[in-house]
Amino acid sequence: MIGPNDSDNLLDNTQVRFNHADGIYFRNETEGMAGHRNRLENNLIENNGDKGDAAGIRVRGQTRGLVFKNNIIRDTRPLESRKQAVGIRIEEAAGEVVLEDNKIEARTRVEDQRKSRP
């Protein structure tokens, strides 16, 4: 979970696997408290969610300035057991999110709920 003031970080070359819900989760924070300007690069994000519809990466709140680059986002469990149905979910209040060369295997690769994309 990335939350209050978790800004200006690099998450590089890690494995995010088997979380109960979303793999990487940016909390629903206001502009002043959101996790801005984070970079996620070269990560393996897989097999998250064990009950409902999960996302590999979920961006909530007024978070902005994110870069997701060269990540692998997938669910390798048997088809009937897959819950990570969305690769990247960007919710309505989020700001700029840059997506570069990610390999996403999901029912929905990118679910962008923003009305206007920065």
Side-chain angles (χ1 to χ4, degrees):
M1 205 180 307
I2 299 173
N5 297 318
D6 287 338
S7 296
D8 301 299
N9 295 294
L10 171 63
L11 184 63
D12 183 29
N13 201 29
T14 61
Q15 292 185 11
V16 179
R17 304 172 68 215
F18 302 110
N19 287 292
H20 289 290
D22 303 304
I24 297 174
Y25 179 85
F26 288 83
R27 290 175 44 166
N28 189 16
E29 300 287 350
T30 61
E31 173 79 20
M33 296 296 288
H36 303 300
R37 300 174 307 279
N38 287 291
R39 297 180 66 89
L40 280 62
E41 298 183 12
N42 308 307
N43 300 293
L44 174 61
I45 303 162
E46 72 177 1
N47 301 342
N48 294 290
D50 60 12
K51 294 184 181 171
D53 189 34
I57 302 172
R58 183 175 179 187
V59 181
R60 302 194 73 205
Q62 296 178 338
T63 310
R64 60 180 164 71
L66 304 177
V67 176
F68 304 152
K69 182 177 180 179
N70 294 327
N71 298 290
I72 297 172
I73 304 169
R74 64 186 180 194
D75 197 326
T76 63
R77 295 173 285 194
L79 191 58
E80 65 278 358
S81 301
R82 294 180 184 180
K83 301 295 183 196
Q84 186 176 294
V86 176
I88 299 171
R89 177 177 285 141
I90 306 169
E91 294 192 7
E92 187 174 318
E96 178 187 16
V97 179
V98 175
L99 306 176
E100 292 182 29
D101 301 321
N102 298 290
K103 294 180 180 88
I104 303 172
E105 297 173 18
R107 186 174 37 213
T108 303
R109 292 173 41 94
V110 177
E111 180 183 296
D112 194 339
Q113 299 173 358
R114 297 173 292 177
K115 290 181 183 164
S116 63
R117 296 185 176 107

